[in-house]
Amino acid sequence: MTQENDRLRTPKRERPPSASASASLITDPASALLYEKNAQISALQDQVTQLTNKIAALTHTAPTQHSNNILSSSTTNTSNNTNSNKKQYRLNATSATVTESESKCGKRRQLLEPTRTNIGRNASISTANALRQLQSSNDNLPQIDETSPLAKRIMAMFQDPASHTTYLRSTQFAHDILKLCHTIKNLLQNSPRCTFLSSPCYVFGDIHGNLEDLHFFSDNIWRLGMSLTAGNFVFLGDYVDRGRNCLECVAYLLLMKLLLPHKVTLLRGNHETRDVNGWEEHYGERSFIYQARARFGDELGFLVWEESNKVFDRMPLSCVIDQDIFCVHGGIPRSMSIQDVLMVPRVAGINPPYEHESEKAQQVASDCIWSDPASEEQEHSTVDADTGFGESLRGGGAICFGHKAVTDFLQRHNYSYIMRAHEAHADGVAVSKGARVFTVFSTSKDHNQGSKAMAGCILVDSEKLQIINRSPAYKNQYVHRRDSVSLANLTQYEIDVREKVGLVSSASADESEYEYEEEGGEAEHYDQWEDMEDDDDDHNDDHLGVRRTSAVDASLVVASPPGSHGDDSSSNSLMMPVVGDGCVAGDRRMSGIMEEGSEDESSSSSSDSDSEKDDTVVVEYSQRSASGRDMFHHSI
């Protein structure tokens, strides 16, 4: 009884009422509202804590503690981060996109609208393959890929031409070239006369049928293949003539363009015209038409030559990299306008021209493929002070451009450099016009540059320009002289077969005998072949018809006149003289790299011992250009 009374006297402990219950027990309206708001705040704080922990888990950061301490901890972390962590800036890659549009003022003119857009990282190989399968409505091309028999034959030939001499002399090779030409014509015709690219880009100069140097670049630049090599590949023209393997070089480059249309850009040079690559009287067995007819016979050989020239007629004349570097085979046009280059017909013969080509279009196209930088002597004599242009030492109507023309052109389009080919240089790459004009030459043979001549190219990579040269000591692999020790184990028949496909040269054929000839003579006429049938899909503008006068007379033009590249080649040469043990003459900071190599085409007296090799000092230096791009140079 006593315990029961004590339990009755002891007050019972009750759970604290909830906020809503407390608000209902409170008669004061203000207090009830205060309790209700506190409950809502508590619920929101719980939600904030949950969301903060989820965000921390996703970003791999430590979660915050209680929601009541969010504001204070944020203030503390801000002060700590200011002292410990630096602000991180994201590096976004940008692409230069240029679209064509018509003028809004009523005139039928093509306008360019450049825009810069951010792009992500490079796509995977699977994504790149999927994108290549997306053909536009204008690209109605047959399916030719790496697995097709045609591609396999040409790639195998390029990798080891000495083992495919039978294929190189067969009609199968001729029909493969014809199929390539038929397939790629529409692709080139649908591209503008001036294309726009983004870096990184490898820029190559004249090839001139030099399979050895082209293979050198393949072994050292796109060793895994162009499709697996980052960046684009720009070739500035002159793929044929002078060299002994014009057909092989054309077949390989056209196949690469067909397989990788957005990575490979083939520009047109002056040798991609009928008046030049059909001039058999001048170039003899080094001419493109001679090699085609000697390899496949008169009828089939001419058909290969003509179909190849139809492809050349559709090649673009120029390209622009990063809206900053203008690339062309010869030089800038007198009109100083990219718009005029875009107005050149998509099918242009140039030398000789078609009926539909206007005189202005002929002049613009001829300037792009024929012009040269003016020498210092020409700057003071023949170059017009008002326009910056003058008559070229080549003659025949070709022009040269001086400092004023370069300055006006670059300022008008807001460019920094001009990259062109067209002139032989023993160093592979030369600069002129205040280091604003780069001349790239990617063949080391057949231009009277001596046995130490190098083949070069330029890598344009964002804000860096890197010059890559083939060292003179680099060992030949496929094309050899008849007296080379590499042919000692071959029979006379095997040597004769290789000589017929240009893989063996005579001891006296290393230097071209056509370089500085100034004899005139009319170019070869082609009326005797006008009865050849054209493809069903060819247009009427593909027929030569009545021969018209070209803006530049190829028969009167000197190939490389003496002194034409003496402007800055000696003072601004990209190879510095070596004075011993890696020390290099000059004031720039440089580093010497020692390489070993042996020149396969050495004389018999120097090749008695296979183990004897020549040491070559390869020089590398860097220089900061006026526009902010770093320039590097090295030889392989």
Side-chain angles (χ1 to χ4, degrees), residues 94-99 112-116 192-203 232-236 262 265-267 316-329 332-333 336-339 341-342 368 409-410 412-420 460 629:
T94 60
S95 64
T97 304
V98 179
T99 58
L112 294 180
E113 297 180 358
T115 57
R116 289 183 177 270
R193 300 303 86 186
C194 181
T195 60
F196 297 86
L197 308 172
S198 298
S199 61
C201 287
Y202 292 92
V203 182
N232 301 310
F233 300 89
V234 178
F235 295 86
L236 300 180
H262 302 295
T265 300
L266 300 179
L267 301 186
L317 297 171
S318 62
C319 71
V320 179
I321 303 175
D322 291 340
Q323 284 295 107
D324 188 54
I325 300 176
F326 179 71
C327 299
V328 69
H329 177 74
I332 55 181
M336 307 286 287
S337 174
I338 300 294
Q339 301 292 339
V341 178
L342 290 170
C368 288
F409 180 83
L410 295 179
R412 177 172 182 174
H413 298 283
N414 196 25
Y415 296 160
S416 298
Y417 300 106
I418 297 172
M419 289 189 181
R420 38 95 61 180
V460 180
R629 291 183 185 263

Side-chain angles (χ1 to χ4, degrees), residues 24 75 124 134 144 162 187 203 237 332 345 390 438 447 449 484 518 572:
S24 62
T75 305
S124 65
L134 300 177
I144 297 180
L187 175 65
V203 182
I332 55 181
F438 286 77
H447 286 80
Q449 298 300 309
S484 173
E518 301 184 18
N572 293 336

Side-chain angles (χ1 to χ4, degrees), residues 232-506:
N232 301 310
F233 300 89
V234 178
F235 295 86
L236 300 180
D238 277 12
Y239 314 110
V240 298
D241 293 332
R242 298 185 179 278
R244 295 179 176 273
N245 303 104
C246 300
L247 294 166
E248 292 86 339
C249 293
V250 168
Y252 176 75
L253 292 176
L254 291 184
L255 178 64
M256 291 298 100
K257 175 61 179 179
L258 188 61
L259 296 179
L260 305 168
H262 302 295
K263 285 179 68 72
V264 179
T265 300
L266 300 179
L267 301 186
R268 189 176 188 180
N270 62 301
H271 281 262
E272 280 68 62
T273 58
R274 291 174 178 84
D275 280 356
V276 179
N277 61 46
W279 198 355
E280 186 175 346
E281 292 88 347
H282 182 71
Y283 293 105
E285 63 180 11
R286 305 295 187 97
S287 68
F288 183 39
I289 189 172
Y290 176 89
Q291 295 181 20
R293 296 171 68 182
R295 190 82 62 88
F296 308 125
D298 288 342
E299 183 175 353
L300 184 58
F302 169 78
L303 187 59
V304 170
W305 174 82
E306 175 61 24
E307 288 300 316
S308 299
N309 274 285
K310 288 180 180 179
V311 174
F312 300 158
D313 292 342
R314 291 160 170 81
M315 284 182 174
L317 297 171
S318 62
C319 71
V320 179
I321 303 175
D322 291 340
Q323 284 295 107
D324 188 54
I325 300 176
F326 179 71
C327 299
V328 69
H329 177 74
I332 55 181
R334 276 169 278 190
S335 62
M336 307 286 287
S337 174
I338 300 294
Q339 301 292 339
D340 291 336
V341 178
L342 290 170
M343 296 302 292
V344 174
R346 298 291 177 95
V347 180
I350 306 179
N351 297 112
Y354 293 123
E355 288 294 330
H356 64 270
E357 296 178 57
S358 64
E359 292 185 3
K360 181 178 180 180
Q362 290 183 53
Q363 183 185 91
V364 172
S366 298
D367 292 347
C368 288
I369 66 175
W370 281 105
S371 59
D372 296 297
S375 63
E376 289 298 330
E377 181 181 355
Q378 289 177 294
E379 289 278 5
H380 303 291
S381 59
T382 60
V383 173
D384 189 287
D386 296 329
T387 63
F389 292 93
E391 183 179 355
S392 173
L393 294 176
R394 296 177 183 269
I399 65 166
C400 63
F401 51 92
H403 285 282
K404 177 177 173 52
V406 172
T407 301
D408 294 344
F409 180 83
L410 295 179
Q411 290 181 352
R412 177 172 182 174
H413 298 283
N414 196 25
Y415 296 160
S416 298
Y417 300 106
I418 297 172
M419 289 189 181
R420 38 95 61 180
H422 196 42
E423 285 184 291
H425 286 274
D427 294 332
V429 178
V431 294
S432 60
K433 306 308 172 194
R436 296 174 298 173
V437 177
F438 286 77
T439 298
V440 191
F441 211 69
S442 300
T443 176
S444 58
K445 304 295 181 183
D446 309 313
H447 286 80
N448 286 345
Q449 298 300 309
S451 60
K452 299 299 182 181
M454 297 182 292
C457 72
I458 298 178
L459 169 60
V460 180
D461 188 4
S462 185
E463 296 184 354
K464 179 178 69 175
L465 298 178
Q466 184 172 1
I467 299 168
I468 304 171
N469 280 347
R470 170 183 171 171
S471 171
Y474 187 86
K475 183 178 180 180
N476 286 347
Q477 301 181 43
Y478 304 107
V479 182
H480 307 285
R481 289 193 337 190
R482 178 174 283 274
D483 57 354
S484 173
V485 294
S486 301
L487 306 179
N489 296 327
L490 298 181
T491 64
Q492 185 63 37
Y493 174 76
E494 292 175 330
I495 294 177
D496 293 339
V497 171
R498 293 192 180 191
E499 186 174 8
K500 291 181 180 179
V501 294
L503 299 180
V504 174
S505 62
S506 61

Side-chain angles (χ1 to χ4, degrees), residues 373 375 393 423-426 430 449 516 560-570:
S375 63
L393 294 176
E423 285 184 291
H425 286 274
Q449 298 300 309
Y516 295 120
S560 296
S564 61
H565 55 78
D567 173 18
D568 303 285
S569 59
S570 58

Side-chain angles (χ1 to χ4, degrees), residues 87-118:
K87 187 176 180 180
Q88 301 293 327
Y89 294 93
R90 294 186 60 187
L91 299 178
N92 296 327
T94 60
S95 64
T97 304
V98 179
T99 58
E100 296 184 23
S101 62
E102 294 184 358
S103 175
K104 297 181 180 180
C105 61
K107 297 182 179 180
R108 296 175 62 97
R109 295 179 56 190
Q110 287 182 323
L111 299 178
L112 294 180
E113 297 180 358
T115 57
R116 289 183 177 270
T117 57
N118 292 331

